[in-house]
Amino acid sequence: MQHKRIISITILIIAAIAAVSVLVCLFFVNQSHVSQARNRLVRYRTVYKGRPYDKTALVYLPRGYQDSSKKYNVLFLMHGWGMSENDFIKGDPNDKAPVIDDLMKDEKNPFIVVSPTYYPNRSFTNDGEASEDKLTKRFAKTEINQVLKVVQAQYHVYKSRNHYAFAGFSFGAITGWAVMQDQLSHFRYFQMIAGGDNRAAQLRSKLLKSKLAYDVTVSVGSDDYVNNGTPYDIDRTMNTLKNVPHIRFHIDENGCHDLPSAMRQLKFGMRFFFK
């Protein structure tokens, strides 16, 4: 009798261990699935100098998106020189900067983040400053509308400009200034990080005449080289835009021209999006 009891107890223990193991495995499988579900790609084709390019933009879907039918606000987030659409969302193993998912943890109303690239493909990353400037302005003039159309077709998002923000770092900020010039009817909120506008006088005139509401955060690190007389000097930009309403200026103390500084500045600017 005692022997049978020992066998029964042993079987129960083995069954319990097996059940716990299955639950643990299912938990990690589910966590992996949820993690993968939050990062998606949208695909589209664009034409540059007569040549077609098949491109992708990375899309971050906040926690709860899959189980919700509500519509979401959207932030377009543009990288800087030599970077890619992956840097803000997937991160770089060699960089200690937080990624967008880290910044979203405190958001009461998290939003979708779309990270495109202004490069037709990676072969353009070493073409020089003049090429970078041209590519950013081209993206803001035409290609951004292609990305916007695909995102609106594939995800639960609003179509009103009051639900769209654009933020960029370095040459992504230069892209952002160009988006203000050309796409103010589609975007209301902006953050330009570590990059001034080399067409600020033209933008000033446009904003002062515009009847559209807008909100702009301009930020830079206190140790950022971009303010040392470069064509994209932020101090010069802000002086040109002096007395233009709804534009604030933030300095990241001890911040440099790097991704960790950019993410801190983005966190500051996020508080003003969609308010």
Side-chain angles (χ1 to χ4, degrees), residues 244-261:
V244 175
H246 311 301
I247 300 179
R248 70 182 61 83
F249 187 38
H250 167 66
I251 296 179
D252 176 34
E253 296 297 338
N254 301 315
C256 299
H257 197 87
D258 58 20
L259 196 53
S261 297

Side-chain angles (χ1 to χ4, degrees), residues 120-154:
N121 63 29
R122 297 301 295 172
S123 69
F124 288 82
T125 58
N126 297 314
D127 280 0
E129 189 174 280
S131 177
E132 292 282 312
D133 187 88
K134 184 176 181 179
L135 289 173
T136 60
K137 289 177 172 57
R138 173 197 168 273
F139 182 91
K141 188 78 172 178
T142 59
E143 192 173 323
I144 193 171
N145 292 311
Q146 294 178 268
V147 185
L148 191 61
K149 183 177 180 180
V150 175
V151 169
Q152 290 178 341
Q154 294 188 17

Side-chain angles (χ1 to χ4, degrees), residues 137 140 161 173-185 187 190 192 195-212 214-218 236-238 240-247:
K137 289 177 172 57
R161 66 182 293 271
I174 281 79
T175 312
W177 291 114
V179 171
M180 281 200 75
Q181 291 268 14
D182 299 320
Q183 306 295 341
L184 198 58
S185 62
F187 291 84
F190 297 87
M192 320 312 186
D197 186 8
N198 58 351
R199 299 184 299 173
Q202 179 180 332
L203 179 62
R204 175 187 174 86
S205 176
K206 184 167 187 174
L207 292 178
L208 290 176
K209 294 176 182 177
S210 177
K211 295 182 180 180
L212 295 173
Y214 58 87
D215 187 278
V216 187
T217 302
V218 183
R236 184 165 59 242
T237 296
M238 294 307 294
T240 303
L241 297 176
K242 188 181 297 183
N243 300 323
V244 175
H246 311 301
I247 300 179

Side-chain angles (χ1 to χ4, degrees), residues 97-122:
V99 293
I100 196 68
D101 191 42
D102 298 319
L103 302 190
M104 284 290 183
K105 290 176 181 176
D106 299 326
E107 282 292 313
K108 293 181 180 179
N109 295 299
F111 40 84
I112 290 173
V113 180
V114 179
S115 183
T117 176
Y118 53 77
Y119 295 123
N121 63 29
R122 297 301 295 172

